Amino acid sequence: MGEYIIEMLNITKTFPGIVANDNITLKLKKGEIHALLGENGAGKSTLMSILFGLYQPDSGEIRKNGKPVKINNPNDANDLGIGMVHQHFKLVDIFTVLENIILGVEPNKMGIIQKDEARKKVLELSEKYGLKVDPDAYVEDITVGMQQRVEILKMLYRDNEILIFDEPTAVLTPQEIRELLQIMRGFAREGKSILFITHKLNEIMEVADRCTVLRKGKCIGTVNVKDTTKEELSRMMVGRDISFKVDKKESKPGEVVLSVRNLNVVSKSHGKNLVKDVSFNVRAGEIVCIAGIDGNGQREIVNAITGLERPTSGTITLCGHDITKASIRERSIRGISHIPEDRHKHGLVLDYKLEENLVLQRYWQPEFQNKGFIKFDAVRKYAERLIDKFDIRSGQGPITITRSMSGGNQQKAIIAREIDKEHELLIAVQPTRGLDVGAIEYVHKQLVATRDAGKAVLLVSLELDEVMDVSDRILVIYEGEIVGELDPKTTTLEELGLYMSGAKRDNAKEINDGREE
Amino acid sequence: MEGKNSFYNDNKLNIKKLMKSGVLSSFLSALVAVLLGLIFGFVIMLIALPANALIGFKHIILGGLKRIGDVFYYATPILMTGLSVGFANKMGLFNIGASGQYTMGMYFALYVGFMWDLPDGIHWVVACLAGFVGGMLWGAIPGIFKAFLNVNEVITSIMFNYIGMYLVDMFIQGNSAMYVSDKTRTQYLPAEVQMPSLGIPNSNVHLGIILAILIGILLYIVLQKTTFGYELKATGFNRFASEYAGMKGKRNIILTMAIAGGLSGLGGAFGILAPSGIAGSSMTYEPINIIAPAGFNGIAVALLGNSHPIGIIFSAIFISYIQRGGTLASLAGYKPEIIDIVIAVIIYFSAFTSLILEFISKLFGKGRKNKKTLVDNEIKEAE
C-alpha cells in the first residue's frame, strides 16, 4: 500500500496528429495539494479527463491505493471517490442550487425525491467547509463564484476524497480566489487529496505541496513547492526564462487623447447608477489602468467609450472631437482600437477564416474593397503580413477557421488587428484573461510598444500583478466611482487592495483637479 | 520511397482541401440524406403495395426525365422561395413568412397585370418588378419589428402569412376587374402580361426559371464577394462581433428581410404570370383562404440546399424532379402523398447534416489515419 492514493503510471494518449500525453507519470499523496502546471495545450486537461474517465489512455495504468483500476466513465470515477470541478461549470441553469447538487444521486423513497434529507446534508457540508450557498437560489441568478461553490459541494455531497480542480481561479475575483485557496487548504487538512490544475504560479506557491509540470505532452518533472521558486517553475513550464517584470522605460505623456467628463450610466434593468460622475484623461504615450473588482462599472465605462452602449449623461472627447453620440464605426475611424473583454462574443467571428477576422475593422476601406466588392487578394496579403509580424500560429495560415485556433493565438489575432489599425487610443479589456505565461508576456510587450509608439492606452484589468507591472497610472474604481489615482511605482499591492475593496478613498474633487491642468 | 510519401501527402491535402471548402461535405451530406430518404420511401411503398413497389419506385426515380420541362416549371417558384429562406438564414434570420411574401408578390403582379395599361414588351417585366416590391414590403415589416423592437421574426412573419393571405383574398374579391365571382377565381390575364414561354412542348416552363437561376448565382456573388455579404454573414455568425466592428446591424436586418421578401414576391409573380398552354387562358388565383404552400416548400428547399444559393438551385430542381416522379407513381397505384413522405424524410435527414458530416469525416479520418501510420511505418523502416 504506499503513501500514494492515486498513481497514474506511464500514461500515453494520442489524438489524430498530436500526442497529448506522452508517457506521463503522476502520483498523488493522500492529503496533499498537488498542482499540475503547464501552458495551454500542454496536456493537463487530457490527463485529468483520463483520470475522470472521459478518455481512455492508449497505454499506461491507473492505480488507487496501489491497486490497478479501470475508469471507463465518470460514474466509475465517482465510485472511486474522484470528483472534478470543470473549468466550464456543468450546472443546469434553471435548477436550484440544491437540485443541481443532488442531480444524479437524488435521495428518494419509491421515486419521490426526499429534498429535506438532501437539504440537511448540503447545509451541513456548506457549514463545515465555509462554502456559503443559498440552496434555493436558481443557478442562473447566482454569481460565478457561488456557482463554483455549488460544483465543489457536488463533489462533497458524493463523498469524493480525490478532488480535481480544473483552472478554478480563472473566473474568480482576487477575493474569491483567496477564499477558494483557503477552502482547498481545509480539504487537505481533512485528509482529502487535491489535484489543482493551473498556470498561475502565485497560487501554486501559496497553496500547493508538490507540483508536476507538463510541457507539450511530456512530463518535465515533479518538485516540492517549498524547495523551488516561481522562476524555476516557469522555466520548467515554458522551457525558457520568462521575465515577470515588464520591461519598460519611463513614460512620456503628451497631449490628452481621451477625455471623459462626468460620465454617468444608469442601469436599464434596475435603475441603479452603475457609473457615477466619472472623469479622467488618457494622454498619448501613457498606459492608464482602471483597476477594480469585476462588476464595479468598468464594463459600462468601456462600452460608453467604444460606443457599444450609450451613457446616460456626460461627454467623451477623443483628440478634441466630441464622440459621445458617435457611431461605433465613426469612433473606429477617429482612432479607437478595442481589444474586447470577451474575445469569442465580441472580438471574433469564430466561423470566419483568420484572414476575414483580421480585416473585421477594415474590410470597408478602399484598401480592401472596390465598389462594394472585397479585394480578396489584398486581404490575403494583409493577413499574411500580420500573421508574420505578430507571430499568429494556426493550422493553415490565413484560411484557418478561427474557431479551431488556440485561445492565445485568437487573442494574438485580435491584438494584431487592433494595433495595426490606425489608432490614437487602444482600449484593452482584460487582454490576458485565460492566457498562459508566454502569451501574457507577449501581450504586455505589445501594450508597452503601443505606448512607446506615442499612442494612448487604456487598460482594464482584474489581475493585480498586471495592474502594477504594466500601467503608468492607476485609477481605482469602486461601485462605479473612481476612488483613487495611484502611481504604481510608489503604491503597494496592499494599498491598491484597500482602494479596490472600498476601504479607502480619496476625495473625488481632488482626483479630478489633480488631472486637470 | 520518397515518391510514395509525397504521393500520400498530396492525396491527403486534396481531400482535406475539398473537405475544408465545405462544398464537398455539404454536397455529400445532402446526397446521403437523399439516398436515405429514397430508401425509406421504397420501404413505405413496399409496405403499401408490395407488388408494384419496384415499378412505382422506378417512376419516382426516372419519371421526372419524361417531363423535364415541367420539372423546371414547378421548380421556379420554390427556387425563389428557397433562395428567400436561405438568404435570410445566412444572417441568422428564419424567414418563415415566405408564403405571405409570395402571396403579396403575386397580388402586386396581378394588380399591375389587370389595372395598369402598359406597352406589350414591358408589361410582364413591370408586373414582375411589382411582385418584387410587394414581397419586399411584406418582408421588410417583420425586419423592422426585429431591428427596432427585437420582436422575433419567426412570430411576426408567421402572422404576416395570415395577414397577407387574408388581405389579398379580400382585395381580389372586392375587385370586379380582377375577380370572377361565380368561378371563385381571378380573370384570365392578358397574354402580354404572361412570362415568355421557353417553348418546350407539353410544358409551361418559362423565362422565370432562367431568371431564378441567374438570381441564385447573383446572390452567391453578393454573399461571397461583397462587403454587404461579408457583413451579412458576420452578423449571422455572431451578432455581437458585427456590432463591435461597427456594422449597421439594424439596417442590415431590414435590408436582408426586404431582399428575402422580394425574392419570395418575385416567386409569386413568376408563379402567377406563367404562360398557359391553352390559348386565351392563364394561371389564376383562387381566394379561398389557403396559405401558399410554395413558402413552406421553400423552407425545405433551403434546408436541403444548406442555405447556399447554388445548393438551393440544385435542391429546388431536385425536389421538383422527384415531385414529378411522384405524380407518375400514381400510375402504379400509389397515392401522390407517398412522394410527400419521401421528401419529408429527405428533409428530415438533411436536418441531421452535422451528424452525417461527422460520419463522413470519420470515414475519411480513418482512411487518413491508416495512411499516416503507413507512412510512419515506412519512415521507421527507412531508419
PDB file of all heavy atoms in Angstrom, chain A residues 412-435:
ATOM      1  N   LYS A 412      -3.990  36.855 -30.072  1.00  0.00           N
ATOM      2  CA  LYS A 412      -2.956  37.500 -30.878  1.00  0.00           C
ATOM      3  C   LYS A 412      -3.566  38.093 -32.142  1.00  0.00           C
ATOM      4  O   LYS A 412      -3.177  39.179 -32.582  1.00  0.00           O
ATOM      5  CB  LYS A 412      -1.883  36.482 -31.277  1.00  0.00           C
ATOM      6  CG  LYS A 412      -0.803  36.268 -30.235  1.00  0.00           C
ATOM      7  CD  LYS A 412       0.270  35.360 -30.830  1.00  0.00           C
ATOM      8  CE  LYS A 412       1.348  35.021 -29.824  1.00  0.00           C
ATOM      9  NZ  LYS A 412       2.327  34.091 -30.411  1.00  0.00           N
ATOM     10  N   ALA A 413      -4.517  37.377 -32.731  1.00  0.00           N
ATOM     11  CA  ALA A 413      -5.158  37.870 -33.958  1.00  0.00           C
ATOM     12  C   ALA A 413      -5.885  39.180 -33.681  1.00  0.00           C
ATOM     13  O   ALA A 413      -5.780  40.134 -34.458  1.00  0.00           O
ATOM     14  CB  ALA A 413      -6.128  36.822 -34.507  1.00  0.00           C
ATOM     15  N   ILE A 414      -6.597  39.236 -32.557  1.00  0.00           N
ATOM     16  CA  ILE A 414      -7.314  40.472 -32.215  1.00  0.00           C
ATOM     17  C   ILE A 414      -6.326  41.597 -31.971  1.00  0.00           C
ATOM     18  O   ILE A 414      -6.488  42.720 -32.468  1.00  0.00           O
ATOM     19  CB  ILE A 414      -8.188  40.257 -30.960  1.00  0.00           C
ATOM     20  CG1 ILE A 414      -9.282  39.237 -31.260  1.00  0.00           C
ATOM     21  CG2 ILE A 414      -8.795  41.572 -30.492  1.00  0.00           C
ATOM     22  CD1 ILE A 414     -10.115  38.875 -30.060  1.00  0.00           C
ATOM     23  N   ILE A 415      -5.279  41.293 -31.224  1.00  0.00           N
ATOM     24  CA  ILE A 415      -4.287  42.319 -30.907  1.00  0.00           C
ATOM     25  C   ILE A 415      -3.634  42.833 -32.188  1.00  0.00           C
ATOM     26  O   ILE A 415      -3.471  44.038 -32.383  1.00  0.00           O
ATOM     27  CB  ILE A 415      -3.243  41.755 -29.926  1.00  0.00           C
ATOM     28  CG1 ILE A 415      -3.901  41.563 -28.557  1.00  0.00           C
ATOM     29  CG2 ILE A 415      -2.037  42.668 -29.818  1.00  0.00           C
ATOM     30  CD1 ILE A 415      -3.061  40.815 -27.566  1.00  0.00           C
ATOM     31  N   ALA A 416      -3.296  41.906 -33.073  1.00  0.00           N
ATOM     32  CA  ALA A 416      -2.680  42.302 -34.346  1.00  0.00           C
ATOM     33  C   ALA A 416      -3.609  43.243 -35.099  1.00  0.00           C
ATOM     34  O   ALA A 416      -3.203  44.305 -35.578  1.00  0.00           O
ATOM     35  CB  ALA A 416      -2.395  41.062 -35.184  1.00  0.00           C
ATOM     36  N   ARG A 417      -4.885  42.872 -35.172  1.00  0.00           N
ATOM     37  CA  ARG A 417      -5.852  43.663 -35.918  1.00  0.00           C
ATOM     38  C   ARG A 417      -6.011  45.054 -35.310  1.00  0.00           C
ATOM     39  O   ARG A 417      -5.992  46.062 -36.014  1.00  0.00           O
ATOM     40  CB  ARG A 417      -7.198  42.934 -35.892  1.00  0.00           C
ATOM     41  CG  ARG A 417      -8.311  43.658 -36.616  1.00  0.00           C
ATOM     42  CD  ARG A 417      -9.598  42.881 -36.489  1.00  0.00           C
ATOM     43  NE  ARG A 417     -10.159  43.005 -35.158  1.00  0.00           N
ATOM     44  CZ  ARG A 417     -10.936  42.088 -34.595  1.00  0.00           C
ATOM     45  NH1 ARG A 417     -11.215  40.973 -35.229  1.00  0.00           N
ATOM     46  NH2 ARG A 417     -11.422  42.278 -33.388  1.00  0.00           N
ATOM     47  N   GLU A 418      -6.106  45.113 -33.997  1.00  0.00           N
ATOM     48  CA  GLU A 418      -6.383  46.395 -33.353  1.00  0.00           C
ATOM     49  C   GLU A 418      -5.154  47.297 -33.309  1.00  0.00           C
ATOM     50  O   GLU A 418      -5.270  48.509 -33.377  1.00  0.00           O
ATOM     51  CB  GLU A 418      -6.929  46.165 -31.936  1.00  0.00           C
ATOM     52  CG  GLU A 418      -8.242  45.387 -31.905  1.00  0.00           C
ATOM     53  CD  GLU A 418      -9.344  46.052 -32.705  1.00  0.00           C
ATOM     54  OE1 GLU A 418      -9.452  47.279 -32.663  1.00  0.00           O
ATOM     55  OE2 GLU A 418     -10.092  45.324 -33.411  1.00  0.00           O
ATOM     56  N   ILE A 419      -3.980  46.682 -33.179  1.00  0.00           N
ATOM     57  CA  ILE A 419      -2.772  47.506 -33.099  1.00  0.00           C
ATOM     58  C   ILE A 419      -2.346  47.975 -34.483  1.00  0.00           C
ATOM     59  O   ILE A 419      -1.863  49.093 -34.652  1.00  0.00           O
ATOM     60  CB  ILE A 419      -1.633  46.717 -32.400  1.00  0.00           C
ATOM     61  CG1 ILE A 419      -1.952  46.586 -30.908  1.00  0.00           C
ATOM     62  CG2 ILE A 419      -0.293  47.428 -32.577  1.00  0.00           C
ATOM     63  CD1 ILE A 419      -0.890  45.906 -30.097  1.00  0.00           C
ATOM     64  N   ASP A 420      -2.548  47.130 -35.481  1.00  0.00           N
ATOM     65  CA  ASP A 420      -2.114  47.515 -36.823  1.00  0.00           C
ATOM     66  C   ASP A 420      -3.042  48.544 -37.458  1.00  0.00           C
ATOM     67  O   ASP A 420      -2.650  49.298 -38.334  1.00  0.00           O
ATOM     68  CB  ASP A 420      -2.025  46.274 -37.715  1.00  0.00           C
ATOM     69  CG  ASP A 420      -1.200  46.559 -38.954  1.00  0.00           C
ATOM     70  OD1 ASP A 420       0.031  46.669 -38.809  1.00  0.00           O
ATOM     71  OD2 ASP A 420      -1.785  46.716 -40.045  1.00  0.00           O
ATOM     72  N   LYS A 421      -4.266  48.558 -37.000  1.00  0.00           N
ATOM     73  CA  LYS A 421      -5.218  49.552 -37.494  1.00  0.00           C
ATOM     74  C   LYS A 421      -4.759  50.934 -37.040  1.00  0.00           C
ATOM     75  O   LYS A 421      -4.201  51.091 -35.971  1.00  0.00           O
ATOM     76  CB  LYS A 421      -6.589  49.209 -36.888  1.00  0.00           C
ATOM     77  CG  LYS A 421      -7.651  50.250 -36.974  1.00  0.00           C
ATOM     78  CD  LYS A 421      -8.903  49.711 -36.275  1.00  0.00           C
ATOM     79  CE  LYS A 421      -9.925  50.782 -36.036  1.00  0.00           C
ATOM     80  NZ  LYS A 421      -9.529  51.811 -35.090  1.00  0.00           N
ATOM     81  N   GLU A 422      -4.996  51.948 -37.861  1.00  0.00           N
ATOM     82  CA  GLU A 422      -4.660  53.313 -37.461  1.00  0.00           C
ATOM     83  C   GLU A 422      -5.412  53.663 -36.187  1.00  0.00           C
ATOM     84  O   GLU A 422      -6.637  53.529 -36.135  1.00  0.00           O
ATOM     85  CB  GLU A 422      -5.098  54.284 -38.556  1.00  0.00           C
ATOM     86  CG  GLU A 422      -4.330  54.131 -39.830  1.00  0.00           C
ATOM     87  CD  GLU A 422      -3.555  55.397 -40.136  1.00  0.00           C
ATOM     88  OE1 GLU A 422      -3.986  56.470 -39.676  1.00  0.00           O
ATOM     89  OE2 GLU A 422      -2.512  55.295 -40.797  1.00  0.00           O
ATOM     90  N   HIS A 423      -4.692  54.064 -35.164  1.00  0.00           N
ATOM     91  CA  HIS A 423      -5.415  54.398 -33.936  1.00  0.00           C
ATOM     92  C   HIS A 423      -4.630  55.392 -33.105  1.00  0.00           C
ATOM     93  O   HIS A 423      -3.420  55.526 -33.234  1.00  0.00           O
ATOM     94  CB  HIS A 423      -5.685  53.143 -33.119  1.00  0.00           C
ATOM     95  CG  HIS A 423      -4.441  52.472 -32.607  1.00  0.00           C
ATOM     96  ND1 HIS A 423      -3.611  51.733 -33.400  1.00  0.00           N
ATOM     97  CD2 HIS A 423      -3.884  52.458 -31.378  1.00  0.00           C
ATOM     98  CE1 HIS A 423      -2.601  51.278 -32.683  1.00  0.00           C
ATOM     99  NE2 HIS A 423      -2.735  51.705 -31.469  1.00  0.00           N
ATOM    100  N   GLU A 424      -5.357  56.093 -32.265  1.00  0.00           N
ATOM    101  CA  GLU A 424      -4.740  57.007 -31.301  1.00  0.00           C
ATOM    102  C   GLU A 424      -4.881  56.455 -29.895  1.00  0.00           C
ATOM    103  O   GLU A 424      -4.076  56.737 -29.020  1.00  0.00           O
ATOM    104  CB  GLU A 424      -5.427  58.389 -31.367  1.00  0.00           C
ATOM    105  CG  GLU A 424      -5.270  59.102 -32.705  1.00  0.00           C
ATOM    106  CD  GLU A 424      -3.812  59.245 -33.094  1.00  0.00           C
ATOM    107  OE1 GLU A 424      -2.978  59.483 -32.207  1.00  0.00           O
ATOM    108  OE2 GLU A 424      -3.525  59.106 -34.302  1.00  0.00           O
ATOM    109  N   LEU A 425      -5.958  55.682 -29.696  1.00  0.00           N
ATOM    110  CA  LEU A 425      -6.264  55.154 -28.365  1.00  0.00           C
ATOM    111  C   LEU A 425      -6.492  53.654 -28.476  1.00  0.00           C
ATOM    112  O   LEU A 425      -7.285  53.197 -29.300  1.00  0.00           O
ATOM    113  CB  LEU A 425      -7.540  55.825 -27.824  1.00  0.00           C
ATOM    114  CG  LEU A 425      -8.137  55.220 -26.551  1.00  0.00           C
ATOM    115  CD1 LEU A 425      -7.241  55.484 -25.360  1.00  0.00           C
ATOM    116  CD2 LEU A 425      -9.534  55.782 -26.300  1.00  0.00           C
ATOM    117  N   LEU A 426      -5.787  52.902 -27.647  1.00  0.00           N
ATOM    118  CA  LEU A 426      -6.023  51.462 -27.599  1.00  0.00           C
ATOM    119  C   LEU A 426      -6.685  51.141 -26.267  1.00  0.00           C
ATOM    120  O   LEU A 426      -6.152  51.460 -25.207  1.00  0.00           O
ATOM    121  CB  LEU A 426      -4.697  50.700 -27.719  1.00  0.00           C
ATOM    122  CG  LEU A 426      -4.804  49.177 -27.567  1.00  0.00           C
ATOM    123  CD1 LEU A 426      -5.588  48.565 -28.719  1.00  0.00           C
ATOM    124  CD2 LEU A 426      -3.428  48.540 -27.482  1.00  0.00           C
ATOM    125  N   ILE A 427      -7.874  50.533 -26.347  1.00  0.00           N
ATOM    126  CA  ILE A 427      -8.560  50.106 -25.127  1.00  0.00           C
ATOM    127  C   ILE A 427      -8.408  48.601 -25.026  1.00  0.00           C
ATOM    128  O   ILE A 427      -8.832  47.863 -25.916  1.00  0.00           O
ATOM    129  CB  ILE A 427     -10.054  50.481 -25.174  1.00  0.00           C
ATOM    130  CG1 ILE A 427     -10.195  51.998 -25.325  1.00  0.00           C
ATOM    131  CG2 ILE A 427     -10.766  49.996 -23.932  1.00  0.00           C
ATOM    132  CD1 ILE A 427     -11.619  52.449 -25.501  1.00  0.00           C
ATOM    133  N   ALA A 428      -7.749  48.151 -23.970  1.00  0.00           N
ATOM    134  CA  ALA A 428      -7.539  46.709 -23.802  1.00  0.00           C
ATOM    135  C   ALA A 428      -8.239  46.272 -22.528  1.00  0.00           C
ATOM    136  O   ALA A 428      -7.907  46.729 -21.436  1.00  0.00           O
ATOM    137  CB  ALA A 428      -6.054  46.399 -23.733  1.00  0.00           C
ATOM    138  N   VAL A 429      -9.244  45.412 -22.677  1.00  0.00           N
ATOM    139  CA  VAL A 429     -10.004  44.958 -21.521  1.00  0.00           C
ATOM    140  C   VAL A 429      -9.600  43.528 -21.194  1.00  0.00           C
ATOM    141  O   VAL A 429      -9.798  42.626 -22.010  1.00  0.00           O
ATOM    142  CB  VAL A 429     -11.523  45.034 -21.791  1.00  0.00           C
ATOM    143  CG1 VAL A 429     -12.289  44.743 -20.515  1.00  0.00           C
ATOM    144  CG2 VAL A 429     -11.893  46.398 -22.334  1.00  0.00           C
ATOM    145  N   GLN A 430      -9.034  43.353 -20.046  1.00  0.00           N
ATOM    146  CA  GLN A 430      -8.550  42.038 -19.609  1.00  0.00           C
ATOM    147  C   GLN A 430      -7.867  41.283 -20.743  1.00  0.00           C
ATOM    148  O   GLN A 430      -8.250  40.157 -21.071  1.00  0.00           O
ATOM    149  CB  GLN A 430      -9.703  41.196 -19.079  1.00  0.00           C
ATOM    150  CG  GLN A 430     -10.354  41.808 -17.869  1.00  0.00           C
ATOM    151  CD  GLN A 430     -11.336  40.843 -17.245  1.00  0.00           C
ATOM    152  OE1 GLN A 430     -11.027  39.686 -17.045  1.00  0.00           O
ATOM    153  NE2 GLN A 430     -12.515  41.313 -16.933  1.00  0.00           N
ATOM    154  N   PRO A 431      -6.836  41.902 -21.326  1.00  0.00           N
ATOM    155  CA  PRO A 431      -6.275  41.310 -22.539  1.00  0.00           C
ATOM    156  C   PRO A 431      -5.544  39.997 -22.301  1.00  0.00           C
ATOM    157  O   PRO A 431      -5.255  39.291 -23.258  1.00  0.00           O
ATOM    158  CB  PRO A 431      -5.296  42.382 -23.029  1.00  0.00           C
ATOM    159  CG  PRO A 431      -4.919  43.134 -21.804  1.00  0.00           C
ATOM    160  CD  PRO A 431      -6.129  43.118 -20.913  1.00  0.00           C
ATOM    161  N   THR A 432      -5.263  39.648 -21.070  1.00  0.00           N
ATOM    162  CA  THR A 432      -4.505  38.409 -20.835  1.00  0.00           C
ATOM    163  C   THR A 432      -5.352  37.341 -20.170  1.00  0.00           C
ATOM    164  O   THR A 432      -4.826  36.331 -19.712  1.00  0.00           O
ATOM    165  CB  THR A 432      -3.282  38.690 -19.943  1.00  0.00           C
ATOM    166  OG1 THR A 432      -3.744  39.244 -18.710  1.00  0.00           O
ATOM    167  CG2 THR A 432      -2.335  39.646 -20.607  1.00  0.00           C
ATOM    168  N   ARG A 433      -6.661  37.562 -20.106  1.00  0.00           N
ATOM    169  CA  ARG A 433      -7.501  36.587 -19.427  1.00  0.00           C
ATOM    170  C   ARG A 433      -7.411  35.224 -20.102  1.00  0.00           C
ATOM    171  O   ARG A 433      -7.575  35.103 -21.314  1.00  0.00           O
ATOM    172  CB  ARG A 433      -8.955  37.051 -19.419  1.00  0.00           C
ATOM    173  CG  ARG A 433      -9.824  36.155 -18.558  1.00  0.00           C
ATOM    174  CD  ARG A 433     -11.117  36.796 -18.220  1.00  0.00           C
ATOM    175  NE  ARG A 433     -12.040  36.695 -19.349  1.00  0.00           N
ATOM    176  CZ  ARG A 433     -13.338  36.860 -19.228  1.00  0.00           C
ATOM    177  NH1 ARG A 433     -13.847  37.146 -18.059  1.00  0.00           N
ATOM    178  NH2 ARG A 433     -14.123  36.761 -20.265  1.00  0.00           N
ATOM    179  N   GLY A 434      -7.152  34.207 -19.299  1.00  0.00           N
ATOM    180  CA  GLY A 434      -7.119  32.848 -19.816  1.00  0.00           C
ATOM    181  C   GLY A 434      -5.893  32.511 -20.640  1.00  0.00           C
ATOM    182  O   GLY A 434      -5.838  31.459 -21.260  1.00  0.00           O
ATOM    183  N   LEU A 435      -4.903  33.406 -20.673  1.00  0.00           N
ATOM    184  CA  LEU A 435      -3.706  33.115 -21.465  1.00  0.00           C
ATOM    185  C   LEU A 435      -2.606  32.545 -20.569  1.00  0.00           C
ATOM    186  O   LEU A 435      -2.592  32.781 -19.363  1.00  0.00           O
ATOM    187  CB  LEU A 435      -3.201  34.388 -22.155  1.00  0.00           C
ATOM    188  CG  LEU A 435      -4.184  35.076 -23.093  1.00  0.00           C
ATOM    189  CD1 LEU A 435      -3.479  36.193 -23.848  1.00  0.00           C
ATOM    190  CD2 LEU A 435      -4.801  34.093 -24.080  1.00  0.00           C
TER     191      LEU A 435
END
